[in-house]
Amino acid sequence: MSVNDAGFKAALEEAKIGASEGGIPIGACLVDKDGKILGRGHNMRIQKSSAILHGETSALENAGRLPASAYKGSTMYTTLSPCDMCTGACILYKVSRLVMGENKTFVGGEEHLRRNGIEVVNLESKECEELMAKFIREHPEDWDEDVGVGK
C-alpha cells in the first residue's frame, strides 16, 4: 500500500475536488480485490446540505447497489481516518482493508475496524495532512459540525 496506489490517488483527487467546491477536503475510493475501482467520492455535506455524505459514504453511494460478494477482499482508500459513521459502513459491508492518508488531524474508528478484522494502513501523507489542517484552520465551525462536536 502506498500513495502511488490508483485507489489512493483517486481518493486524494476527490478530496481536492471537494476543496475546490468549497467543501470539506476528504475523498475516498472503494477498490475491489482485483484492483477495479467500484466507486469514488468526496465529502458533500456542505455542497448538498447532507447529514451523511462523508467521503467514504459518498464512495459507497457512487458504487451503487452491489452484491455482498463485491466487497470481499475490497479496500477503502480515504484521505483521513474514518469517523464512526464511515467506520460502521466499512464494517457493515465487510470491507477487508482501510487505507488512510493520515490521522494526525483526526483519529476516528481505527481500533474498532481492527477489532472487526479489518486491516488498517496509515500512509502518513503530508499532502493529506496539510489539506485537512488548512481546512480546519480556515473553517473550524464546518469541521466541528462534520465530526459532531461544538454547539
Side-chain angles (χ1 to χ4, degrees), residues 5 8 17 19 24 27 42 45-46 49 51 57 65 74 86-87 90 103 110 121 128 141:
D5 291 359
F8 180 73
I17 292 168
I24 300 167
H42 55 276
R45 291 192 73 243
I46 293 170
S49 197
T57 55
R65 184 177 174 189
S74 67
C86 295
T87 292
C90 288
N103 69 353
E110 298 166 35
V121 177
C128 288
E141 66 291 339

Side-chain angles (χ1 to χ4, degrees), residues 21-79:
E21 296 171 346
I24 300 167
I26 302 170
C29 182
L30 180 64
V31 177
D32 76 6
K33 68 181 183 306
D34 298 319
K36 177 185 172 202
I37 291 177
L38 298 174
R40 52 187 279 175
H42 55 276
N43 187 304
M44 298 282 289
R45 291 192 73 243
I46 293 170
Q47 299 92 312
K48 292 197 172 189
S49 197
S50 170
I52 61 168
L53 281 178
H54 281 194
E56 299 88 340
T57 55
S58 181
L60 287 163
E61 175 70 15
N62 291 331
R65 184 177 174 189
L66 299 171
S69 61
Y71 302 102
K72 187 175 174 108
S74 67
T75 299
M76 177 66 79
Y77 288 89
T78 181
T79 56

Side-chain angles (χ1 to χ4, degrees), residues 81-82 96-100 103 109-115 117-122:
S81 181
S96 296
R97 179 183 308 106
L98 182 125
V99 178
M100 74 182 91
N103 69 353
E110 298 166 35
E111 288 306 315
H112 193 48
L113 289 165
R114 288 184 186 102
R115 280 192 302 274
I118 296 173
E119 178 186 359
V120 176
V121 177
N122 184 353

Side-chain angles (χ1 to χ4, degrees), residues 25 102 105 128-139:
E102 63 100 1
T105 58
C128 288
E129 184 181 337
E130 289 167 5
L131 194 61
M132 276 311 304
K134 180 179 187 288
F135 180 83
I136 293 168
R137 189 172 53 252
E138 293 176 359
H139 306 280

